[in-house]
Amino acid sequence: MLSCRFSRRSASPTMAKDKTDLLQGTLDLLILKALQRAGSTHGYGISVQLRAWSKEALQVDQGSLYPALYRLEERGWIDATWGTSENNRKAKFYTLTKAGLKQLAAETTNWRNVASAINAILEGT
Amino acid sequence: MSLLRTLRFRLRALFHRGQLDREMDEEMRFHLEMEAVEHARDGTSPDEARRRAAVAFGGRERIREEMRDVRGWMWLDSLLRDVRQSWRSLRRSPGFLLTAVAIVALGIGGNTFVFSLINGIFLRPLPFPHPEQLVDIDETAPKWNLRYAGIHYGDFEAWREHNETFSGMAHWRADEFSLATDDRSERVPGQRVTHDLADVLGIQPVLGRMFRADEEMRGDAKIALLGYHIWDEWFGRDPGVIGRTIVVNAEPREIIGVLPRTAVFPSRAAVWLPFTSTPTYWSGLAIGRLKPGVTVDQASADLLRIHRARISIAKENEITSPLVQPVLNRHLGEGRLIAFVLQGFVGILFLIACANVAGLMMARSLARAPEIGMRAALGASRLQIARQLTIESTLVASVGAGIGALLGHWLLHGWLSWLVHALPAWAQFSPDWRFVLVTIGLIMVCGAVGGMVPARHLLARGTYALVPGPSAFQATHPAARVSSLRFLVVGEIAMALVLLVSAGLLGRAFIRVNQIDPGFRTDHILTYGLFLPEARYKDGPTQLAFFQEHLERVRALPDVVSASASTVLPFTGTHQGSFFEPEGGIPGGPDAKKPVILTRLSLPGYFATMEIPMVAGRDFGEQDWHYKIIVNETLARLFWPGSDAVGKRMRSPGGNGPWLEVIGVARDVRHYGLETETRPGVYVPFVAMPKSGIGIVIRTKVDPASLAPTIRSLIRHQDPTLPIAGLASMEERIAQSLFVRRMYSGMTIAFAAIAVTMATAGLYGIIAYVVGRRAREFGIRTALGASARSILHLVVRDGAVLASIGIAAGLVAGLLAAHAISALLAGVSPFDPVVLVASCATIAILTLLACILPARRAMRVDPIAALRAE
């Protein structure tokens, strides 16, 4: 089982590096996709869904998730509103915006290009 | 992604931090609970589930930090944290804080005071639209020895009509008028103006209207515009004032308008009257508004062209030329050097204050070296340590600046009421953006110096050197080898010496000016002006009769020794000029200068009352007009150099006038001021050309001011509606003429005294500190056999070396400064030995004291205690 942790590139040079460092751009892509597939959800819901869809392979570190959500909201790709969850607790719900949808498409294309480029390199002997 | 949205988010992050933090906590809590629920489903107990969830959640604080990082403004958070920490640390050393704040307050207070003055007078633009387009126009005639000759109306009309560079031009003349309503009567300053003055300045009357072109000159409409302050004080801002009558020089005039508050340029005129021509051809000033983009030189050339084109009809236009300059140059030119000197003084005072603060900060940070070293060991970089020191000193500087600004404000308002007649009426002194900018600049300089100097020293050998340990075993404490401290000491001594030398020279100049002989006996003289309205005193004989009767009554008073009168009195700012030619022509031929001659019409007994000695010849015998005149020494030297002027003749140029014979030569009188050059002058008996206005002089037995009420009732008796102008003793007038000089001489001495005190205190502090730190070293020396006296010599010698360097540097700088201000020194040499020796001696003695007192303490150090102490 592959366990990846998403973490922000830290500014302080003395902080230790993690096992698998995925760039924050990829996390943004996954969050946007999650919101497209699941519609309106809260942060916990996103992390659960990502774990489920990746078949437990991807576990999003809360320290990366919430900062990423704030950043995406600031950039206008997702909108946030306070609502009540399924068990009647107050939670912040996120939805994809039109601009976010466009960004998702762009990032998906970008990821595909990068992935095929890397694949092409790895295929060669 | 829009900029607006980002901005909104950032601002929200800045101002609603608390709310964002709460929302973040809420979100985290929700997430944690959901995780706990999930873990509970696995069968664990609620507590265990929560614990597992918390562990899985990770460090909450770290996440919070990450979130805050994304939000931005981290630098602001850490800055605020540093500021709070510095403030706490400063509060723990109240002695240091109070001393440092007091020093900064003094340094900045002086600066805000002087800068407010300079800002209000020189830097702020005039309160008119596009003030940079306004220029002053006058005529200059070097051949007549007149920088400003006044304007001939014909020239003005020609300029106004034919120019291509001005969008408007107006002519005006300052004058004094007797203003009267039913219940009030006063002599006030006023102006005669052409109708376009309001347009040129760009102002509108707040009530009523401005004059029209047909109302001036021959139109001579009997109308007036009121100044705003007169409308306020005399009419209580009554809007119904339009149409009412006001009596000007005994002539009723209709009030047709009220001027706005800004119309106090160039002087605080009480009334504006329509322009009329005067018997003297050249008078008054003009103000013009340049067309956009036109330079002063272009305008000058344009007017010169028109001016010279008129030579065929006005041959004086060969000698006169139009003079165009930015309007403030005309009114402020001489003050600039004084402002520069004052600003220089407070600037140096500020630097001394900064040096003292740096010294204090240095001592404090050296005392805290172990703490700082600990911080370095825990990972603080040099930049961070330097930043913390700078924040502390900037904090001190800010508090000091706040107090200093209040101090400066208080000083300013205290002095303004006293200075008001020496300052231009249109100057505003409230703080504006320039003031704020300068104050912030001063805070930053002080903070930077106070932080960087200790930081530079502390970190010179790397942060490792700060860690407590090895330095404790060094025989000589690092503090003793501090070159920065030495630099501060030398700098303070030098700067204090510069100020002392400059202030001393200015003081000496003031004393010298005070001792200048005005040419007559100045004590116990009362002066005032009487101006008879021509409406009631129509001709010469009537006017003469009035004055003669008045003088007889005055002479009858018991406390009066003698009394007389003249049309222009010294130290009153008045002038009356004419031209004369000696028989045989002016020496030097037709191209020689034909200076204007001050012409005074005097009544009998004038020379005796003023006690002006006769250098040759005699006083007027009778008062009939026998074409006999008296000249002053300057005129005698000018017209008849090398020979006796008595018996010679002169007359008005042109060859048609009668010959005037010189019967006496009077001692020169400093008419225009103690420092101003005397012009050639002539005294003519009043009967020759009686005038309606005259200045009375009375020599009294008692204090002149005590006679004032008697004089007032005497005038009221003779003519109840006649106001008296300028009732004052001659000594008061002379003191008034010296007012500006007295003010800045006093200020510079005060600033120099504060600076020297501060520098001495700073010196003492630094030397005492260094001596204190070297206690160990002295202990060792004593243990090794050094005598107490040799320790004393050690300290004093170190101090003396620094003092010598400081004094040498200060002397050089001081001489340069003295040379720069030599225009203000009224003949005192910049190398004046008395001032130089006294200043150097004062500094040397103070420095010696600052060394000896701590040194004596050093002598008494017990070696055993010192060696054990560390």
Side-chain angles (χ1 to χ4, degrees):
Chain A
M1 176 163 35
L2 191 67
S3 195
C4 316
R5 279 187 66 207
F6 286 85
S7 55
R8 273 192 81 250
R9 274 241 182 95
S10 210
S12 168
T14 62
M15 272 183 74
K17 285 197 158 275
D18 293 315
K19 280 199 293 263
T20 322
D21 252 347
L22 285 166
L23 297 173
Q24 67 186 31
T26 323
L27 177 58
D28 287 356
L29 169 63
L30 292 174
I31 292 177
L32 290 174
K33 188 68 186 177
L35 284 176
Q36 189 209 27
R37 282 174 72 166
S40 181
T41 5
H42 41 68
Y44 179 73
I46 293 175
S47 74
V48 161
Q49 295 287 29
L50 285 178
R51 232 178 35 225
W53 291 326
S54 67
K55 307 210 179 13
E56 302 294 315
L58 285 180
Q59 276 165 341
V60 185
D61 177 17
Q62 283 84 346
S64 320
L65 176 64
Y66 287 99
L69 284 170
Y70 186 86
R71 214 179 29 248
L72 290 173
E73 191 191 344
E74 190 187 57
R75 296 224 186 105
W77 296 334
I78 61 178
D79 267 334
T81 37
W82 283 93
T84 21
S85 73
E86 44 275 2
N87 52 353
N88 269 325
R89 308 215 79 83
K90 194 168 164 213
K92 205 172 186 186
F93 286 81
Y94 297 92
T95 36
L96 205 57
T97 63
K98 248 193 303 189
L101 201 60
K102 265 190 249 163
Q103 181 69 13
L104 173 60
E107 294 232 13
T108 311
T109 316
N110 188 42
W111 170 259
R112 293 220 165 93
N113 291 339
V114 168
S116 44
I118 295 178
N119 278 338
I121 294 171
L122 294 175
E123 294 289 298
T125 31
Chain B
M1 167 167 65
S2 76
L3 206 58
L4 202 60
R5 196 188 170 99
T6 313
L7 191 66
R8 208 159 32 92
F9 265 76
R10 289 293 160 116
L11 286 176
R12 206 171 149 236
L14 183 60
F15 293 115
H16 294 284
R17 247 194 232 99
Q19 187 187 5
L20 284 176
D21 274 341
R22 278 194 300 274
E23 284 186 3
M24 181 172 65
D25 277 346
E26 185 83 42
E27 241 189 319
M28 302 294 184
R29 209 175 342 183
F30 171 76
H31 194 121
L32 215 58
E33 286 200 13
M34 296 298 274
E35 290 239 355
V37 162
E38 190 179 322
H39 282 271
R41 261 193 246 121
D42 298 342
T44 45
S45 73
D47 285 328
E48 179 63 23
R50 231 173 268 132
R51 191 191 66 84
R52 284 217 194 131
V55 166
F57 196 72
R60 208 187 285 171
E61 207 41 60
R62 188 174 60 82
I63 297 174
R64 278 218 191 101
E65 285 288 325
E66 298 268 3
M67 284 285 286
R68 289 206 193 108
D69 209 357
V70 176
R71 278 202 227 140
W73 301 113
M74 276 294 273
W75 62 270
L76 189 64
D77 276 337
S78 72
L79 187 69
L80 284 177
R81 203 179 30 238
D82 277 344
V83 170
R84 266 198 290 272
Q85 197 169 24
S86 301
W87 180 243
R88 270 204 303 269
S89 157
L90 284 171
R91 270 174 51 199
R92 268 187 258 119
S93 343
F96 166 81
L97 184 60
L98 281 172
T99 318
V101 163
I103 292 174
V104 175
L106 275 177
I108 291 192
N111 267 282
T112 54
F113 169 59
V114 169
F115 184 74
S116 294
L117 282 176
I118 291 180
N119 194 16
I121 299 176
F122 295 97
L123 296 178
R124 266 193 156 112
L126 291 171
F128 306 122
H130 289 290
E132 71 282 358
Q133 290 171 345
L134 291 173
V135 289
D136 176 86
I137 310 170
D138 207 318
E139 289 189 38
T140 186
K143 211 163 175 200
W144 291 342
N145 207 17
L146 285 173
R147 180 166 160 74
Y148 298 117
I151 298 177
H152 191 295
Y153 189 73
D155 290 336
F156 171 72
E157 271 186 327
W159 297 339
R160 186 168 56 179
E161 179 149 346
H162 296 124
N163 80 84
E164 290 160 10
T165 46
F166 286 85
S167 61
M169 211 188 273
H171 188 18
W172 59 275
R173 193 171 70 241
D175 210 341
E176 270 192 347
F177 303 104
S178 301
L179 207 64
T181 58
D182 291 333
D183 36 327
R184 248 177 115 141
S185 158
E186 244 174 72
R187 191 139 178 101
V188 292
Q191 287 168 208
R192 285 206 179 260
V193 305
T194 57
H195 64 282
D196 21 23
L197 186 57
D199 282 335
V200 168
L201 290 178
I203 59 175
Q204 302 270 10
V206 292
L207 274 186
R209 64 169 182 87
M210 181 61 186
F211 307 137
R212 292 189 306 263
D214 57 290
E215 286 166 334
E216 65 193 28
M217 290 307 282
R218 260 181 289 278
D220 198 18
K222 301 290 178 226
I223 52 180
L225 275 165
L226 288 184
Y228 192 92
H229 59 286
I230 294 289
W231 182 50
D232 191 16
E233 286 165 27
W234 288 38
F235 295 92
R237 297 210 222 160
D238 173 16
V241 77
I242 307 294
R244 279 169 62 174
T245 313
I246 194 165
V247 179
V248 181
N249 281 1
E251 231 174 19
R253 286 178 178 265
E254 185 193 342
I255 300 174
I256 61 158
V258 174
L259 293 167
R261 242 193 265 258
T262 49
V264 286
F265 181 85
S267 73
R268 204 189 176 86
V271 283
W272 280 10
L273 301 181
F275 194 82
T276 53
S277 194
T278 65
T280 323
Y281 292 119
W282 287 271
S283 70
L285 294 89
I287 194 166
R289 186 176 276 282
L290 296 173
K291 287 192 175 137
V294 173
T295 65
V296 168
D297 288 331
Q298 287 170 336
S300 258
D302 189 25
L303 291 186
L304 189 65
R305 173 183 60 85
I306 304 170
H307 195 77
R308 294 279 186 255
R310 273 171 55 86
I311 286 183
S312 49
I313 39 174
K315 62 175 170 40
E316 292 88 359
N317 283 17
E318 231 173 357
I319 303 180
T320 60
S321 323
L323 181 61
V324 181
Q325 58 186 322
V327 84
L328 283 180
N329 281 23
R330 170 70 187 261
H331 297 277
L332 292 177
E334 304 89 46
R336 270 181 223 272
L337 184 57
I338 298 173
F340 183 72
V341 169
L342 286 177
Q343 183 64 68
F345 263 75
V346 290
I348 294 182
L349 180 62
F350 173 70
L351 287 178
I352 293 181
C354 283
N356 276 7
V357 169
L360 283 173
M361 283 290 295
M362 179 107 70
R364 182 174 144 83
S365 58
L366 282 174
R368 291 163 64 205
E371 173 205 327
I372 298 179
M374 193 80 66
R375 223 180 260 162
L378 285 172
S381 67
R382 294 164 72 144
L383 193 64
Q384 282 175 320
I385 292 177
R387 189 175 91 158
Q388 201 211 344
L389 288 173
T390 312
I391 287 178
E392 251 186 58
S393 63
T394 309
L395 208 57
V396 166
S398 307
V399 175
I403 298 178
L406 284 176
L407 188 71
H409 182 82
W410 174 74
L411 261 177
L412 185 68
H413 280 270
W415 278 56
L416 271 183
S417 51
W418 192 45
L419 284 170
V420 77
H421 53 262
L423 295 172
W426 36 267
Q428 294 271 2
F429 297 105
S430 48
D432 65 347
W433 61 268
R434 284 182 208 89
F435 178 86
V436 170
L437 212 62
V438 164
T439 310
I440 291 180
L442 290 175
I443 292 177
M444 284 169 58
V445 168
C446 191
V449 169
M452 290 311 182
V453 170
R456 193 186 150 273
H457 171 70
L458 271 184
L459 301 172
R461 279 161 301 150
T463 51
Y464 300 111
L466 292 173
V467 177
S471 70
F473 298 105
Q474 286 170 356
T476 313
H477 192 273
R481 293 187 256 113
V482 178
S483 58
S484 323
L485 279 177
R486 289 213 181 98
F487 186 68
L488 285 181
V489 165
V490 168
E492 292 206 34
I493 293 177
M495 290 194 282
L497 185 60
V498 168
L499 291 191
L500 210 53
V501 166
S502 307
L505 286 173
L506 285 173
R508 198 112 205 266
F510 178 69
I511 294 175
R512 174 174 291 205
V513 168
N514 244 330
Q515 288 168 343
I516 293 178
D517 177 18
F520 60 96
R521 199 179 132 208
T522 59
D523 59 285
H524 291 98
I525 296 186
L526 186 66
T527 67
Y528 51 95
L530 292 177
F531 298 88
L532 303 174
E534 296 194 356
R536 276 188 287 118
Y537 298 86
K538 290 200 188 341
D539 55 12
T542 328
Q543 293 159 356
L544 178 61
F546 180 91
F547 292 132
Q548 280 172 331
E549 189 189 332
H550 179 68
L551 283 175
E552 285 208 10
R553 290 186 193 217
V554 168
R555 288 185 190 122
L557 293 173
D559 290 322
V560 168
V561 172
S562 53
S564 185
S566 170
T567 47
V568 277
L569 291 180
F571 296 103
T572 52
T574 49
H575 165 82
Q576 181 70 45
S578 325
F579 292 100
F580 294 99
E581 255 178 6
E583 194 167 22
I586 290 191
D591 284 330
K593 278 193 164 187
K594 296 181 176 43
V596 73
I597 293 171
L598 179 62
T599 312
R600 302 152 159 118
L601 299 158
S602 55
L603 284 171
Y606 179 70
F607 295 99
T609 308
M610 295 282 277
E611 293 193 32
I612 301 174
M614 283 294 169
V615 170
R618 59 178 180 85
D619 194 351
F620 294 123
E622 329 82 45
Q623 269 288 297
D624 291 337
W625 181 223
H626 293 300
Y627 301 94
K628 302 234 194 297
I629 55 169
I630 294 178
V631 299
N632 72 1
E633 290 172 292
T634 311
L635 189 144
R637 262 198 307 273
L638 180 71
F639 279 1
W640 303 286
S643 62
D644 187 13
V646 177
K648 301 280 197 298
R649 304 198 300 172
M650 66 186 215
R651 65 176 176 191
S652 301
N656 297 327
W659 284 110
L660 308 168
E661 186 186 333
V662 177
I663 59 162
V665 179
R667 156 93 13 104
D668 277 342
V669 164
R670 294 256 175 191
H671 180 90
Y672 302 97
L674 286 176
E675 295 182 63
T676 320
E677 212 186 282
T678 316
R679 287 190 200 278
V682 66
Y683 296 85
V684 179
F686 189 76
V687 287
M689 292 178 272
K691 297 244 185 284
S692 60
I694 209 165
I696 312 276
V697 284
I698 305 176
R699 181 153 311 270
T700 62
K701 287 192 196 129
V702 295
D703 174 34
S706 62
L707 218 55
T710 324
I711 298 293
R712 282 193 209 278
S713 60
L714 209 70
I715 302 276
R716 258 200 312 271
H717 224 69
Q718 253 191 294
D719 181 345
T721 64
L722 191 65
I724 309 182
L727 186 59
S729 74
M730 187 55 81
E731 281 177 325
E732 267 171 14
R733 287 191 185 279
I734 297 181
Q736 177 100 311
S737 74
L738 290 179
F739 179 78
V740 172
R741 184 176 272 280
R742 184 181 299 118
M743 178 199 72
Y744 70 78
S745 302
M747 271 196 214
T748 52
I749 291 181
F751 290 138
I754 296 175
V756 168
T757 311
M758 241 199 246
T760 312
L763 238 62
Y764 173 80
I766 290 175
I767 297 177
Y769 174 76
V770 171
V771 165
R773 290 270 140 181
R774 289 172 74 184
R776 196 184 168 76
E777 174 199 340
F778 296 141
I780 293 177
R781 282 180 192 266
T782 318
L784 289 174
S787 71
R789 277 192 65 215
S790 70
I791 304 264
L792 181 75
H793 279 172
L794 197 65
V795 175
V796 173
R797 192 198 60 204
D798 277 348
V801 166
L802 293 178
S804 320
I805 302 176
I807 290 180
L811 211 56
V812 170
L815 287 174
L816 286 173
H819 181 74
I821 63 171
S822 49
L824 294 175
L825 292 179
V828 173
S829 156
F831 294 94
D832 185 86
V834 174
V835 170
L836 290 180
V837 167
S839 310
C840 290
T842 311
I843 297 280
I845 292 174
L846 289 174
T847 315
L848 199 64
L849 281 176
C851 284
I852 287 199
L853 293 175
R856 288 185 57 198
R857 260 197 301 137
M859 276 178 6
R860 297 195 226 107
V861 165
D862 176 15
I864 300 177
L867 286 166
R868 244 194 243 144
E870 215 104 359

